[in-house]
Amino acid sequence: MQFAEFAARASEMEAEPADLATVALVRDLFRESGKELDTVARFVQGRVFPAWDSTTLDIGPRLLREALARAAERNVTADDVEERLAEEGEIGAVAAGYDFGGQRGLAAFSGGDGGGSLTVREVDETLRELAAATGAGSEDRKLNTLFGLFNRASPEEARFLARLVLGEMRIGVGEGTVRDAIAEAFLVDGTERPAEADDENVEERRDGAEEGEEPAVRAADEHLAAVERALQVSNDYGMVAVMAREVGIEGLRAVRLDVGRPVQAMLAQAGTVTDALDEWGEVAVERKFDGARVQVHAGGGAGGGTDDASVSVFSRNMDDVTDALPEIAEFVAERVDVPLILDGEVVAVDDDGSPLPFQEVLRRFRRKHDVDRMREEVRLELHAFDCLHADGEDLLDAPVTERHARLAETLPADAVSDLLISDDEEEIAAFETDSLDAGHEGIMLKNPDSTYSPGDRGKNWLKRKPDVETVDLAVTGAEWGEGRRANHLGTFLLSARTDEGGKGDGKGGEGDGTGYATIGKVATGITDEKLAELSELLEPEIASEDGQTVELNPAVVFEVGYEEIQRSPTYSSGYALRFPRFVAVREDKDAEDADSLERIERLAESQ
Ligand code: AMP
């Protein structure tokens, strides 16, 4: 395909305001792209390399301005180009404003020819060569080569060439557009409905079509899903477009992960334990590490042995950061002997192994020089929490629990994040306390049955939101602990003050209407040390005992965090705190200063 043809199509896309019509333009371009389909599918998004590849052209705006100046009419300088850029605001418009081709230079392939002779392939190959140029004189070589390209470009070609060089096409073709266009171009025949799709699945697109024009058939959900999936797994629009054309929907579904080629990270939304339990019944709970995301690929290539050279570490943006984090690659290489893709967090730690703020990790990630010195200064630890591929098997479609089990089989335990599967709020709260005590950020809640969907910020991974409100409640009962905690009171019964509440008249107890109404129990958020302290504080208030259960005179007030207040018959107040956690003893408050039931009612209503 001629580059002029590509540029003409890109112009049409740029001028087209309607999304559906843009998809149709991209679809038609793809259908006509022939051997250059992979390149064209990247070019429409301003990319020369696939998204997973961290190679860049490394051509800055300054070099581009110089190349434009050299290719433009005599006497144009890089400063002139800059001035025009300030006026036009966009490099494509500036490039299109010059009359290229009058200059002859060493690197001009054929002298100026007014445009039209460049092919898409040639542009692609030339830009790839530019990207590979390094070392002494590479700037000059890049300048010469760029000059050569522009010298052969028509104004319209120059517009898109300049934008391509800077990686921004500005033609309104985003990832979704390309996905739809691939599906429409190759998975759906323009005139027939796909045989396997039923009527509901196929929307006929009449809105974008002119009167009398044959309506195009829109890709069905399953086509889009297949393209989307292949894109998530491969991060290569060019490859996926070609596969859609050559091997169709089944071929796309069969696209596999490649050890060494990063995938987009699955992301999390904010959510609550309450939501998670209501939605899934059981929750997979992990520590939330305060570091930087990494995806580690080990043992790629035939044979799959693991040596240092076969381990790559990628950042959340899929940049290759192996050189900046050599100990992570070494750690994995030493311990892993099957091909593996793991997802995790790298955390900076102090000499005692306690986590340091995540800014410390970032110092390591950005580091290009002095890596060895930095390695001494900022110690790093890997906490792996997911496994996308192990020993030849892709695990994206396996549930959290299975992926975690594979991780635990493959990596030593100290590098694998703890996983708690629980349907018990108290157990989850205890896990959270433990995580916070260990210096981590909190907890992550995952749907235990969910698959790994790359790039997705869905509802299957939740980062627990910190509590917005706390309440101050009187402690009116407790239970003696068990085992290690047998001599301490634990599991504290909490009560709100009722109208009858007042100094000296409260005896507590469930539903006795003597001034305090129970609303929940808190057992967690309390360290052993704190528990001993609380026992000492509360034992003098014991009013009666029945087996392990004690009734306490209301005297001590706890500040308690919660996620939700629910109506509940379990407690005498008619309400229950969900996910209550101990925050502190309110030393400054007496029981009669505890929050009133009225406030609890108001909080419940305002949720
Ligand atoms: P945020 O950056 O606040 O959106 O939280 C999501 C991020 O938490 C993820 O992208 C990870 O980098 C990080 N994270 C820490 N621990 C975990 C974990 N156990 N599972 C998933 N992500 C985690």
Side-chain angles (χ1 to χ4, degrees), residues 265-269 286-294 316 343-345 385 417 441 444 446 457 461 463:
M266 181 160 175
L267 301 170
Q269 287 185 2
E286 290 169 6
R287 313 201 182 286
K288 185 166 193 290
F289 303 101
D290 192 12
R293 189 81 173 260
V294 284
R316 177 181 165 146
D343 190 2
E345 192 92 346
F385 50 72
S417 158
E441 219 186 332
M444 295 286 300
K446 299 181 181 176
R457 192 185 290 284
W461 284 19
K463 41 189 178 188

Side-chain angles (χ1 to χ4, degrees), residues 447-467:
N447 177 352
D449 299 328
S450 64
T451 59
Y452 192 100
S453 41
D456 187 24
R457 192 185 290 284
K459 287 202 168 86
N460 282 323
W461 284 19
L462 303 175
K463 41 189 178 188
R464 199 183 90 75
K465 267 196 249 171
D467 301 317

Side-chain angles (χ1 to χ4, degrees), residues 248-400:
I249 192 163
E250 292 309 326
L252 289 179
R253 286 180 179 150
V255 176
R256 293 282 163 262
L257 294 173
D258 226 347
V259 179
R261 186 180 65 191
V263 252
Q264 287 178 41
M266 181 160 175
L267 301 170
Q269 287 185 2
T272 62
V273 175
T274 310
D275 292 343
L277 284 170
D278 290 350
E279 199 66 36
W280 313 321
E282 258 186 346
V283 187
V285 192
E286 290 169 6
R287 313 201 182 286
K288 185 166 193 290
F289 303 101
D290 192 12
R293 189 81 173 260
V294 284
Q295 194 174 94
V296 184
H297 291 237
T306 312
D307 56 32
D308 282 15
S310 79
V311 178
S312 302
V313 185
F314 298 96
S315 72
R316 177 181 165 146
N317 299 330
M318 298 189 292
D319 289 335
D320 190 328
V321 291
T322 317
D323 291 343
L325 311 173
E327 65 267 56
I328 301 297
E330 284 163 22
F331 179 91
V332 172
E334 276 165 24
R335 290 162 180 82
V336 170
D337 48 18
V338 294
L340 180 77
I341 303 177
L342 65 82
D343 190 2
E345 192 92 346
V346 163
V347 177
V349 292
D350 64 15
D351 291 339
D352 303 332
S354 302
L356 294 169
F358 92 109
Q359 286 83 353
E360 293 294 320
V361 187
L362 292 190
R363 281 173 65 205
R364 289 291 311 269
F365 265 66
R366 293 201 206 99
R367 190 48 73 150
K368 288 228 167 66
H369 310 288
D370 274 349
V371 171
D372 287 338
R373 188 174 56 76
M374 281 303 282
R375 186 175 170 168
E376 297 295 313
E377 236 175 77
V378 182
R379 250 180 67 205
L380 296 182
E381 257 176 18
L382 173 67
H383 296 279
F385 50 72
D386 216 317
C387 187
L388 281 50
H389 176 100
D391 204 6
E393 200 185 333
D394 282 354
L395 298 169
L396 293 177
D397 293 328
V400 167

